[in-house]
């Protein structure tokens, strides 16, 4: 059973392979994702993020969810030495690099809490997987070619984990290096394979923001495997990352 909707400005698909009727679970997942978009999108003037950024809300008035998102942003800002940031000077507060992975990972937890064991949630190429769609085979996740639209440059397998890619092929130079305040440069794409999408997405964005320094930094993060294409078209990948 599969369903696709446009959420958070991108196509989100949920593919459930467990037997039975799972319309209620699908409805809950997409209701949550739409709720997260309404509450935390910096592009909506009435969202909690925008109201906080304007000063309409104080820290004490924020929801536990937004506090969690902002604290996670702070964590990755410190971890990356300031390259990753949700608070670029002169620009609105933008925690999207954390919010998407956070929201989609929670959507996956909703499916697991409903007793589902085999599914794939794909949010514009950032993916959470559970179980095996076929015995002995995980979900096959295609990684988009950073320069050739519609082409795949690699395929990885994931059974219970997440895959996230940061690049500029969809939205242009939207990832900034917090250390310089300028658009990130030096890399074409960063893919991180990890246990959960929040971590994979945050690390991929932070590494991309760091530029060439992000290659070794991302590879050194515990529990992660990487596939990175730099601006010279050189490919860097973890030795234990198996490509299909």
């Amino acid at each position: 059973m599969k369903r696709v909707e446009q959420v958070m400005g991108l196509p989100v698909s949920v593919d459930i392979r467990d037997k039975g009727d799972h319309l209620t679970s699908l409805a809950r997942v997409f209701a949550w994702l739409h709720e997260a978009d309404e509450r935390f999108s910096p592009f909506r003037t009435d969202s909690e993020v925008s109201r906080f950024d304007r000063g309409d809300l104080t820290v004490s008035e924020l929801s536990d969810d937004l506090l969690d998102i902002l604290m996670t942003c702070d964590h990755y800002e410190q971890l990356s030495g300031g390259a990753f940031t949700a608070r670029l000077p002169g620009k609105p507060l933008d925690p999207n690099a954390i919010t998407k992975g956070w929201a989609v990972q929670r959507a996956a937890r909703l499916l697991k809490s409903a007793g589902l064991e085999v599914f794939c949630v794909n949010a514009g190429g950032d993916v959470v997987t559970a179980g095996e769609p076929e015995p002995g085979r995980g979900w096959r996740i295609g990684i988009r070619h950073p320069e050739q639209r519609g082409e795949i440059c690699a395929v990885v397998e994931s059974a219970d984990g997440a895959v996230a890619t940061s690049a500029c092929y969809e939205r242009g130079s939207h990832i900034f290096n917090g250390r310089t305040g300028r658009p990130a440069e030096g890399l074409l794409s960063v893919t991180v394979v990890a246990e959960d999408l929040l971590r994979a997405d945050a690390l991929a964005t932070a590494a991309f923001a760091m530029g060439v320094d992000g290659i070794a930094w991302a590879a050194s993060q515990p529990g992660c495997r990487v596939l990175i294409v730099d601006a010279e078209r050189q490919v860097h990948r973890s030795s234990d990352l198996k490509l299909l």
Side-chain angles (χ1 to χ4, degrees):
M1 180 173 289
K2 186 175 182 178
R3 179 169 166 180
V4 182
E5 288 191 18
Q6 194 78 10
V7 190
M8 299 181 288
L10 46 83
V12 177
S13 67
V14 179
D15 186 348
I16 299 174
R17 299 296 177 89
D18 297 82
K19 294 181 180 180
D21 185 338
H22 306 294
L23 291 176
T24 299
S25 294
L26 285 170
R28 287 183 63 201
V29 162
F30 281 104
W32 158 247
L33 292 174
H34 282 291
E35 176 190 340
D37 187 34
E38 292 170 2
R39 292 172 59 191
F40 308 124
S41 171
F43 307 111
R44 295 175 179 264
T45 58
D46 60 342
S47 72
E48 188 177 358
V49 167
S50 295
R51 288 185 289 136
F52 175 59
D53 193 38
R54 288 196 304 267
D56 296 344
L57 295 173
T58 65
V59 172
S60 63
E61 295 174 309
L62 296 184
S63 66
D64 289 343
D65 284 340
L66 183 52
L67 286 172
D68 186 27
I69 290 169
L70 295 178
M71 286 190 294
T72 304
C73 288
D74 290 343
H75 168 74
Y76 283 99
E77 181 170 348
Q78 294 175 17
L79 188 65
S80 67
F84 174 97
T85 184
R87 300 178 176 87
L88 203 65
K91 293 184 177 294
L93 172 66
D94 185 358
N96 261 0
I98 293 298
T99 304
K100 183 175 70 169
W102 175 89
V104 175
Q105 189 64 50
R106 181 174 289 190
R109 289 203 298 269
L110 287 174
L111 293 173
K112 287 191 175 182
S113 69
L116 301 179
E117 298 179 344
V118 186
F119 60 81
C120 176
V121 184
N122 186 334
D126 292 342
V127 182
V128 181
T129 65
E132 298 179 338
E134 298 178 10
R137 183 178 74 82
W139 295 86
R140 296 189 174 187
I141 312 301
I143 299 170
R144 178 174 163 174
H145 194 288
E147 295 183 300
Q148 298 177 21
R149 187 177 181 87
E151 296 295 324
I152 291 174
C153 67
V155 177
V156 298
E157 190 172 71
S158 176
D160 291 286
V163 181
T165 298
S166 286
C168 289
Y169 41 62
E170 286 289 353
R171 295 169 55 194
S173 299
H174 67 287
I175 301 174
F176 286 77
N177 185 333
R179 298 169 180 169
T180 66
R182 298 179 57 80
E185 55 185 20
L187 303 178
L188 294 182
S189 70
V190 177
T191 297
V192 175
V193 180
E195 290 185 357
D196 69 86
L197 188 58
L198 171 56
R199 181 167 170 75
D201 203 5
L203 290 176
T205 304
F208 193 94
M210 294 171 74
V212 292
D213 292 342
I215 299 172
W217 178 83
S220 72
Q221 299 305 309
C224 295
R225 291 164 289 159
V226 303
L227 177 68
I228 299 175
V229 182
D230 65 27
E232 303 301 320
R233 284 70 180 174
Q234 296 296 309
V235 177
H236 311 262
R237 70 181 176 100
S238 302
S239 58
D240 58 346
L241 178 61
K242 182 181 177 182
L243 301 181
L244 302 178

